[in-house]
Amino acid sequence: GANIIGVVDRIERLLPQLATALPPSVKVTVLTDRTTTIRASVGDVEFELMLTVGLVVMVLFLFLRSPSATVIPSVAVPLSIVGTFGVMYLLGYSLDNLSLMALTISTGFVVDDAIVMIENIARYIEDGAPPLQAALEGSAQIGFTIVSLTVSLIAVLIPLLFMGDVVGRLFREFAVTLSVAILVSAVVSLTLTPMMSARLLRSASEQGRFYRASDRFFKAAIARYGTTLRRVLEHQTATLLVAVATLAGTILLYVFVPKGFFPVQDTGVILGVSEAPPTVSFPAMADRQQDLARVILRDPAVQSLSSFIGVDGINTTANSGRIQINLKQLGERGVTASDVIRRLQPELAAVHGITLFMQPVQDLTVEDRVSRTQYQYTIESADADELDSWAPRLLEKLRALPQLRDTASDQQNGGLEASLAIDRDTASRLGITPQAIDDTLYDAFGQRQVSTIFTQLNQYHVVLEVKPSFQDSPEALKDLHVRAATGATVPLGSFTRFTATTAALAVNHQGQFPAVTLSFNLAP
């Protein structure tokens, strides 16, 4: 039940408390706030909702030409929306983009019921009936129409309620909110609207000067409509042909108009996934990542960035990294995030030994992994060798397509591996056990924690390893010495030999089977 905006607000209130517990040399700053675009989007939809209500009231006044008649739907619209808020609260919904969009759309449906009811009651008043009797007879006559109209509108939304998968989860809240708003508006139109009509509506002879002055214009418009309608009825065949052509054009446009799941959103943040050759070392990866950062920071649209390398919960291999690029405000940079990406790509391509794949960060995503690009295609097989054979072929075919850009694969089989073979007879004569060899290798390269140093404010782990100069090449294995059972140290190379081979840096899985994900962007 947590709300992202509420969580961010609570974190911002706790940041000053966190800063007081840190040393004076440590400063806490907000690097990226993902709620900025969400707040702006919600604010825009709220403004559109208020603007829609205002426009509806203005149009009602222009056509009803009576302040008293305009008050009735003007009350019905916000009352229906308030009633919808109550049902949303009971269902656990929040005011997000989807629910606010549903409320904005429902404004037109909400006012329809009230207008139909008012017009029918006003017709009885014009015929000379008292307002109370006109409200009773008019509401009784039009009540079934409003009920049938409400049921038909909700029936249109039923497919959205039962849609599955991601689309269903997205639009279910939208459909429920819109259905509730339509249902509440029907109840208001059948109860409150007739009551207010009996109190506020008056006959035409009692209307003001604006009503009488505009009456001539409306009568002229109705007369003009009658003339054009007669003209259309005189050419029924041509009218039907135009209707058929319109239907055919609609179908053709539906077929040929480009389609997509979500439009690309400019959130002011770009995610970059860097990839170096599988044989790269950690220091070399750090240097190349910094080269990318220097190129990115030179762009005038970039405000700041954060860079990550090394294996963690997102980076599965040591030759990959991430760069989160924070852009300036759209009014200040003057270009979209996609334009910034296209502007940076030629300069980043000149950085030797590393590739950066960039895409705009989206507020709404359905992927469960960090991808290099916007689109992914995953192939899987129970036979890892078959997967290793076909994945590169498919990748080459995709790279040959002119419609695709930034084609990449997460299959990395070119990593270096050193296999150490033990001469067990020689090791046994020297009194060296396999466990002693394993302990020596782990002490040298495994980052064994041997102690913890405690201070008044912190604690520090003491990690045992060889000097970095002995970690550059497998040849350094010959310089290691293993302690024998007699206490003497024996060079590791005297009873072992190593062979260099290649191996996969990581084996990705989709479910239980090995999988390879091919990612790509579409050409502009």
Side-chain angles (χ1 to χ4, degrees), residues 351-395:
V351 179
H352 176 70
I354 193 170
T355 304
L356 184 66
F357 301 92
M358 295 177 290
Q359 60 176 315
V361 174
Q362 304 296 292
D363 287 332
L364 188 60
T365 58
V366 296
E367 59 187 11
D368 57 352
R369 67 185 73 177
V370 175
S371 173
R372 296 168 175 80
T373 53
Q374 295 182 13
Y375 300 93
Q376 304 176 40
Y377 186 83
T378 300
I379 56 177
E380 62 180 39
S381 173
D383 188 350
D385 294 333
E386 184 180 18
L387 193 66
D388 294 342
S389 174
W390 283 99
R393 301 181 189 178
L394 182 57
L395 180 64

Side-chain angles (χ1 to χ4, degrees), residues 18-38:
L18 176 63
T20 58
L22 296 174
S25 59
V26 178
K27 294 183 180 180
V28 179
T29 58
V30 177
L31 185 62
T32 302
D33 186 0
R34 291 292 305 277
T35 64
T36 302
T37 54
I38 298 176

Side-chain angles (χ1 to χ4, degrees), residues 309-501:
I309 61 171
V311 178
D312 56 16
I314 300 178
N315 292 341
T316 58
T317 57
N319 69 322
S320 61
R322 303 189 312 278
I323 297 180
Q324 184 166 294
I325 306 169
N326 305 307
L327 304 179
K328 298 176 182 178
Q329 295 296 326
L330 183 59
E332 185 178 355
R333 51 185 156 99
V335 292
T336 65
S338 299
D339 294 333
V340 174
I341 291 175
R342 286 191 287 268
R343 188 167 63 191
L344 285 172
Q345 283 175 338
E347 300 180 27
L348 294 172
V351 179
H352 176 70
I354 193 170
T355 304
L356 184 66
F357 301 92
M358 295 177 290
Q359 60 176 315
V361 174
Q362 304 296 292
D363 287 332
L364 188 60
T365 58
V366 296
E367 59 187 11
D368 57 352
R369 67 185 73 177
V370 175
S371 173
R372 296 168 175 80
T373 53
Q374 295 182 13
Y375 300 93
Q376 304 176 40
Y377 186 83
T378 300
I379 56 177
E380 62 180 39
S381 173
D383 188 350
D385 294 333
E386 184 180 18
L387 193 66
D388 294 342
S389 174
W390 283 99
R393 301 181 189 178
L394 182 57
L395 180 64
E396 291 300 323
K397 291 293 184 181
L398 292 178
R399 286 177 173 170
L401 295 177
Q403 298 88 350
L404 304 183
R405 295 289 187 274
D406 305 326
T407 310
S409 171
D410 65 352
Q411 185 182 44
Q412 302 186 46
N413 295 332
L416 296 180
E417 181 182 62
S419 298
L420 193 66
I422 305 174
D423 186 348
R424 294 183 177 271
D425 295 335
T426 304
S428 178
R429 287 197 310 271
L430 297 173
I432 298 174
T433 62
Q435 184 63 46
I437 300 173
D438 185 82
D439 291 341
T440 302
L441 293 174
Y442 190 74
D443 291 342
F445 308 108
Q447 296 185 343
R448 184 191 299 275
Q449 181 181 338
V450 295
S451 178
T452 304
I453 300 175
F454 296 94
T455 63
Q456 294 179 349
L457 298 178
N458 209 338
Q459 59 182 7
Y460 302 92
H461 299 303
V462 179
V463 177
L464 178 65
E465 64 178 6
V466 297
K467 290 183 177 182
S469 58
F470 293 98
Q471 301 176 10
D472 294 338
S473 171
E475 297 293 334
L477 293 173
K478 299 178 181 179
D479 298 325
L480 290 180
H481 289 68
V482 182
R483 188 172 298 277
T486 59
T489 58
V490 181
L492 183 64
S494 61
F495 58 89
T496 61
R497 57 182 177 83
F498 73 91
T499 56
T501 58

